[in-house]
Amino acid sequence: MAEVEIKKGLVGVIADETKVSEVMPDINSLTYRGYAVQDLAEACVFEEVAYLLLNGELPSKSQLAKFQEEERSNREISSNLKKIIQSYPNNAHPMDTTRTSVSHLGLEDSEASTNTIEANYKKFIRIFAKTPTAVAANFRTRKGLDIIDPKKDLSFSENFFHMCFGKVPSKDVVKAFDVSLILYAEHSFNASTFTSRVIASTLADIHSAIVGGISALKGPLHGGANEAVMEMFLEIKEPENAEKYILNKIKNKDLIIGFGHRVYKKGDSRVPTMTKYYYKTAEFYKNEKFPKISRILEQTMIKEKNIFPNLDFPSGPTYYLMGFDVNFFTPIFVMSRITGWSAHVNEQLKDNRLIRPLSKYTGSGHRKVLLIDKR
Ligand SMILES: CC(C)(COP(=O)(O)OP(=O)(O)OC[C@H]1O[C@@H](n2cnc3c(N)ncnc32)[C@H](O)[C@@H]1OP(=O)(O)O)[C@@H](O)C(=O)NCCC(=O)NCCS
């Protein structure tokens, strides 16, 4: 093969067009369908943003009411899936159980292999509505608690708190959670979304595409980072340890999770909004320690390395303060990113071409096969 430039990690490669979201690293901006995420986070509830991603426009009041009714009436999971969730090993990572639960939803879906835009829309609603129920059921069963069924009179975020804890926290805490879901919902051709699009491009079903997205999101270089950030905070323990901890990591050339981004090199536009709601949540729970640790880590990383925090940096401690177990942070990210993945699956299918890149072969030259007793 003639000499070719290999873009390791596909850095800088534009693989296709998209109308779902735009990442503008030079001005630290992210828009969903043309709207700045920070404006959506302040003005909308998560369901409005889910509708926007899927349909291309923000809903009117009646469109939102219809969408919410569809979502709320599809929240229940089957008794079969509940039994399966109760049988998951307690030491299984919740990202693995979430992946298995969503895969099981596909087994039970009567339209599983119908790949039309209409069927995919209905399947999206079912996956979107049922995944939080499955995640919350796993959250409770691994603590030996009964599963709490969803309630139709609660919003998407309120209902998730209800299913996990049996109660809904204050409006401010629910808003902070809603904001995190809005900011996590979509991010153009990131690793998990690209995985979902690759799967969709083979004309496999939407459940397969979402399960693939969940698998890619699990890694600590992607969604798993919000869990790793919290592990770091718990290791640091007190603000007075924070600077020494981070300087030591920098000296050892360790990767510091929650910092850096493939696209944003001068800061992540979602971070100021999430940080505002993180600090509000910390104030509500009367926690001064985590924001202090955050400020020290952030200032030191920018001063020493000129590397900025990403969204996982403020979202990790926010979820912890709300009472979620650390290993459930990425499944919460899944509940949100299902919207972006589905929008991309639809977009892929509207103008599909099988995604199949090439590779440069660097293995051994042509060899003769020796029979086994001659090797
Ligand atoms: C997100 C990430 C994978 C982006 O990687 P990337 O675009 O390939 O960035 P690079 O690896 O080219 O980084 C450039 C330099 O910054 C350093 N760097 C980047 N992120 C760093 C981090 N979090 N901690 C320490 N150093 C970091 C790299 O080591 C590299 O240094 P070098 O030039 O001396 O080798 C990377 O920043 C990272 O691993 N961050 C931690 C994981 C994380 O928070 N992920 C969530 C992403 S939303």
Side-chain angles (χ1 to χ4, degrees):
M1 195 188 250
E3 209 41 54
V4 284
E5 192 193 349
I6 293 167
K7 302 275 189 178
K8 198 89 174 160
L10 300 185
V11 176
V13 173
I14 297 176
D16 205 341
E17 295 178 351
T18 183
K19 290 186 167 58
V20 184
S21 66
E22 186 176 19
V23 179
M24 288 173 278
D26 295 341
I27 53 164
N28 291 350
S29 170
L30 168 64
T31 58
Y32 299 164
R33 307 278 189 192
Y35 298 103
V37 279
Q38 58 274 24
D39 296 346
L40 292 169
E42 297 294 355
C44 301
V45 294
F46 175 54
E47 292 92 318
E48 287 173 84
V49 176
Y51 182 100
L52 168 73
L53 286 170
L54 213 72
N55 296 286
E57 296 297 335
L58 280 168
S60 64
K61 269 191 181 164
S62 61
Q63 286 167 328
L64 178 64
K66 183 169 175 279
F67 183 71
Q68 284 177 321
E69 171 55 29
E70 285 170 342
E71 187 270 311
R72 290 174 188 212
S73 54
N74 275 289
R75 285 176 179 169
E76 298 276 346
I77 55 171
S78 69
S79 56
N80 197 18
L81 180 53
K82 283 185 193 167
K83 275 192 216 126
I84 291 171
I85 291 172
Q86 279 160 337
S87 76
Y88 289 152
N90 263 358
N91 61 356
H93 192 284
M95 275 303 272
D96 296 334
T97 58
T98 303
R99 188 192 61 219
T100 304
S101 296
V102 173
S103 186
H104 185 85
L105 290 176
L107 305 183
E108 289 183 345
D109 199 304
S110 58
E111 293 177 288
S113 46
T114 312
N115 234 357
T116 59
I117 296 285
E118 296 72 31
N120 276 347
Y121 185 82
K122 288 190 270 164
K123 285 190 281 184
F124 157 75
I125 293 283
R126 291 192 280 269
I127 300 169
F128 179 55
K130 292 181 200 303
T131 301
T133 315
V135 171
N138 185 225
F139 181 80
R140 288 186 63 84
T141 52
R142 60 201 289 137
K143 295 177 193 294
L145 300 169
D146 288 342
I147 292 174
I148 299 180
D149 287 328
K151 264 176 128 175
K152 266 192 87 173
D153 59 340
L154 298 176
S155 72
F156 186 93
S157 291
E158 288 170 339
N159 178 53
F160 187 64
F161 279 103
H162 155 74
M163 292 188 297
C164 287
F165 304 110
K167 56 182 186 226
V168 178
S170 80
K171 276 202 161 30
D172 285 347
V173 172
V174 173
K175 176 64 187 170
F177 188 76
D178 223 53
V179 164
S180 77
L181 297 182
I182 291 172
L183 298 176
Y184 267 135
E186 158 60 11
H187 213 191
S188 87
F189 275 36
N190 57 81
S192 58
T193 302
F194 192 61
T195 305
S196 291
R197 287 191 75 129
V198 169
I199 295 171
S201 84
T202 70
L203 301 185
D205 57 283
I206 189 168
H207 285 87
S208 299
I210 303 255
V211 167
I214 294 171
S215 307
L217 192 72
K218 184 184 170 193
L221 296 191
H222 193 6
N226 56 12
E227 297 182 13
V229 164
M230 200 58 226
E231 306 288 1
M232 176 172 72
F233 273 62
L234 296 175
E235 215 181 311
I236 292 173
K237 286 198 181 83
E238 299 298 332
E240 46 272 30
N241 304 331
E243 192 178 3
K244 192 170 164 216
Y245 176 97
I246 207 86
L247 288 174
N248 203 30
K249 287 237 168 211
I250 292 171
K251 195 173 113 218
N252 294 336
K253 297 202 179 305
D254 288 343
L255 194 65
I256 298 142
I257 306 288
F259 287 87
H261 201 276
R262 170 57 58 82
V263 182
Y264 304 113
K265 298 298 180 194
K266 297 179 204 150
D268 175 333
S269 66
R270 302 164 299 176
V271 168
T273 308
M274 192 62 235
T275 304
K276 173 181 150 189
Y277 285 94
Y278 157 37
Y279 288 172
K280 273 188 168 194
T281 306
E283 221 177 289
F284 179 83
Y285 288 108
K286 301 192 179 10
N287 179 301
E288 293 179 359
K289 195 160 90 170
F290 290 160
K292 274 188 190 159
I293 295 178
S294 296
R295 287 193 185 98
I296 296 167
L297 297 182
E298 181 174 344
Q299 284 161 8
T300 314
M301 273 300 274
I302 295 173
K303 188 167 151 238
E304 298 291 324
K305 299 273 294 176
N306 200 27
I307 298 179
F308 292 79
N310 55 53
L311 178 57
D312 297 308
F313 187 67
S315 73
T318 309
Y319 290 152
Y320 188 82
L321 288 165
M322 289 169 174
F324 295 108
D325 299 337
V326 176
N327 52 12
F328 273 84
F329 294 0
T330 321
I332 293 171
F333 188 167
V334 167
M335 286 160 30
S336 156
R337 188 54 67 85
I338 280 171
T339 58
W341 291 331
S342 303
H344 279 276
V345 166
N346 276 351
E347 190 174 69
Q348 183 66 37
L349 290 177
K350 274 188 191 151
D351 183 22
N352 189 45
R353 181 123 200 235
L354 177 71
I355 299 173
R356 203 297 187 196
L358 297 175
S359 58
K360 181 182 174 188
Y361 178 68
T362 56
S364 44
H366 187 209
R367 309 193 256 180
K368 268 205 158 145
V369 179
L370 291 179
L371 292 177
I372 194 154
D373 54 351
K374 299 249 164 69
R375 278 176 240 155

